[in-house]
Amino acid sequence: MRDLGTGFRYLLKGQRWVARHGKQYGFGLIPGLITLLLYAAALVALALWGEDFVSWSTPFADDWSSPWQGLFRGFLTAVLFALGLLLSVITFTAVTLLVGQPFYENLSEKVDRDVSPDGTAPESGLPLWRELWISGRDSLRIVLRAALWGVLLFALGFIPVIGQTAVPVIGVFVTGFFLTEELTAVALQRRRVELRTRLTLLRSRKTLVWGFGTPLAAAFLVPFVAVFLMPGAVAGATLMARELMGEETEEDRDKGSLPDAGPGTFSPSGV
């Protein structure tokens, strides 16, 4: 249970860090705003032409009598829009991080330098195109995993009682885990930690991950909130990545203790 509180404190520390560094916060807002506009355009298009798409894709219902045809296609249109909305929430972070890779990479490095006892930040040593390729590839893998979970939870949502109580709670926890993976990836990729190793590392500290990601996932359900919390979320995830890797900060040195890296030892190379 202690890890839950620790994860939440990292989320708050990240927001406080960007509040003290206004320039970094301003630059960090740009990718979120771009992604928000893209998603808003997609959802508006889905709302305007979703009914036409459903009619085109269900020709077998053309001869159905009223009101069954309208009820059937209206239900499918609502399901289509709800699924699009769910997937937009799940994938928003991944797409924003991909769009804003240079912005968030710079922000994460500055956080590392700010809290590191020697004022340095780990570097991958890879060219920018290679970093973008790895980030895009890993983001696609995570988005596919998250989308599968999203479709499964959406289907389970139709189960009476459970679908309206337990499933939404599980959904927030699942979304929180994937959000944390995407956010910590910014710092961990610079440490050459591969996706499989990152997932193993995060699963070994699930309560820490949930403490960070679950309240963030709940906040992201509120329109526009994700845009304004993203810079601080990246900063907080960088701080948490340092603990996951067992790296010391100035605060740890002042306290005379090292962060708890949890069970297992993970090298920066991810092996």
Side-chain angles (χ1 to χ4, degrees), residues 155-194:
L156 293 176
F158 291 99
I159 300 177
V161 183
I162 294 177
Q164 292 74 50
T165 53
V167 171
V169 174
I170 295 173
V172 173
F173 274 84
V174 170
T175 303
F177 181 89
F178 285 118
L179 281 177
T180 305
E181 195 289 324
E182 285 289 338
L183 291 164
T184 54
V186 178
L188 293 177
Q189 282 176 358
R190 281 191 290 106
R191 291 161 169 83
R192 304 290 291 273
V193 181
E194 297 291 337

Side-chain angles (χ1 to χ4, degrees), residues 35-36 39-40 43 81-96 143 146-147 150 168 171-172 174-176 178-180 182 213-214 216-224 226 230:
T35 308
L36 179 64
Y39 272 67
L43 289 173
F81 185 81
L83 183 59
L85 190 61
L86 176 63
L87 291 178
S88 69
V89 172
I90 292 176
T91 62
F92 182 87
T93 300
V95 175
T96 301
V143 165
V172 173
V174 170
T175 303
F178 285 118
L179 281 177
T180 305
E182 285 289 338
T214 301
L216 190 63
F220 276 18
L221 293 174
V222 182
F224 308 114
M230 273 295 291

Side-chain angles (χ1 to χ4, degrees), residues 29-49:
L29 289 177
I30 295 174
L33 291 171
I34 294 173
T35 308
L36 179 64
L37 290 175
L38 293 174
Y39 272 67
L43 289 173
V44 168
L46 192 60
L48 292 175
W49 294 294

Side-chain angles (χ1 to χ4, degrees), residues 111-194:
V111 172
D112 266 324
R113 295 183 191 280
D114 187 49
V115 302
S116 175
D118 57 5
T120 62
E123 297 181 2
S124 67
L126 298 173
L128 178 60
W129 71 266
R130 179 65 176 167
E131 290 184 349
L132 291 174
W133 163 255
I134 293 174
S135 178
R137 179 197 64 190
D138 290 351
S139 292
L140 180 59
R141 292 175 178 175
I142 291 299
V143 165
L144 290 176
R145 290 171 185 251
L148 288 175
W149 271 98
V151 172
L152 174 62
L153 292 171
F154 184 79
L156 293 176
F158 291 99
I159 300 177
V161 183
I162 294 177
Q164 292 74 50
T165 53
V167 171
V169 174
I170 295 173
V172 173
F173 274 84
V174 170
T175 303
F177 181 89
F178 285 118
L179 281 177
T180 305
E181 195 289 324
E182 285 289 338
L183 291 164
T184 54
V186 178
L188 293 177
Q189 282 176 358
R190 281 191 290 106
R191 291 161 169 83
R192 304 290 291 273
V193 181
E194 297 291 337

